[in-house]
């Protein structure tokens, strides 16, 4: 049981290049999330997928696209990378989306460290 | 909107010292509250949680109580160890997402 896996672990891009970050979970979770982590700013939600076939914008979606390929996989694409997208990206999953006061733990992958030059 | 304000770090303590990391929140409705921990080079792990007012979450010697009257969820541990060195995030869960604080770096010296 690997939990949440992310590839690659590290990536360096030049401004304007594109790339896709991959995420997969083996816990049969319905909901998946992409966050970015920047110093002093905690984690900010980029996009999420409450269930297979649906995606929604989070707090900072500009410059990104996502695809929920199937129940297991949720990818994040940068079409034209910018230096402002230098960050650590985390994928997470949960059994279902949070609703009101219902507790619903999110499980995180190890992260992808992306540098855009 | 929802927000979480967390004690700024870094915090440096000696082993066996008492730890408090302050967390206050602003939210509508009745959110759930969480503490996550991030060890170097790893993703976040849930440390403890509370889902309603006056609940106390606890795990690995850490505790936090959901205080609705003061909108707080402060993290405490009576005696920290070197292995507790990590970044700690307070988070609020409501609607469809988690809102995180900025994180507090804790270093425990032997």
């Amino acid at each position: 049981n690997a939990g949440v896996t992310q590839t690659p672990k590290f990536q360096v891009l030049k401004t304007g290049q594109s790339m896709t970050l991959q995420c997969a979970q083996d816990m049969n979770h319905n909901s998946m999330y992409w966050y970015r982590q920047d110093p002093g700013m905690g984690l900010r939600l980029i996009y999420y997928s409450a269930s297979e076939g649906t995606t929604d914008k989070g707090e900072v979606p500009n410059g990104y696209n996502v695809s929920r390929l199937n129940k297991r996989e949720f990818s994040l694409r940068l079409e034209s990378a910018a230096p402002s997208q230098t960050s650590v990206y985390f994928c997470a999953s949960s059994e279902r989306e949070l609703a009101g006061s219902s507790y619903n733990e999110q499980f995180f992958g190890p992260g992808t460290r992306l540098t855009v030059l | 909107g929802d927000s979480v304000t967390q004690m700024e770090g870094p915090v440096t303590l000696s082993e066996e010292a008492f730890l408090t990391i302050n967390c206050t929140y602003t939210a509508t409705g009745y959110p759930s509250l969480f503490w996550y921990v991030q060890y170097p080079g790893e993703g976040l792990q849930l440390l403890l949680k509370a889902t309603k007012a006056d609940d106390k979450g606890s795990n690995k010697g850490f505790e936090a109580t959901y205080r609705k009257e003061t909108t707080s969820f402060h993290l405490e541990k009576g005696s920290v160890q070197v292995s507790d060195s990590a970044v700690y995030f307070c988070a609020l869960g409501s609607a469809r997402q988690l809102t995180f604080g900025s994180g507090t770096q804790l270093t425990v010296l032997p």
Side-chain angles (χ1 to χ4, degrees), chain A residues 59-107:
Chain A
E59 182 184 353
V60 288
N62 291 345
Y64 305 95
N65 285 301
V66 291
S67 295
R68 184 72 182 268
L69 306 170
N70 48 55
K71 191 172 185 179
R72 288 187 64 248
E73 299 173 289
F74 188 39
S75 63
L76 178 72
R77 183 161 178 84
L78 287 70
E79 290 291 352
S80 179
S84 60
Q85 294 178 305
T86 294
S87 188
V88 181
Y89 291 85
F90 287 100
C91 178
S93 70
S94 63
E95 185 177 341
R96 61 189 183 284
E97 61 183 322
L98 290 171
S101 61
S102 300
Y103 163 63
N104 201 357
E105 179 182 355
Q106 290 189 14
F107 293 81

Side-chain angles (χ1 to χ4, degrees), chain B residues 58-79:
Chain B
S58 61
N59 186 26
K60 301 181 180 179
F62 291 90
E63 293 183 339
T65 301
Y66 189 161
R67 303 280 188 204
K68 196 167 187 295
E69 64 276 15
T70 55
T71 61
S72 65
F73 193 55
H74 305 320
L75 182 68
E76 296 182 337
K77 187 174 185 182
S79 176

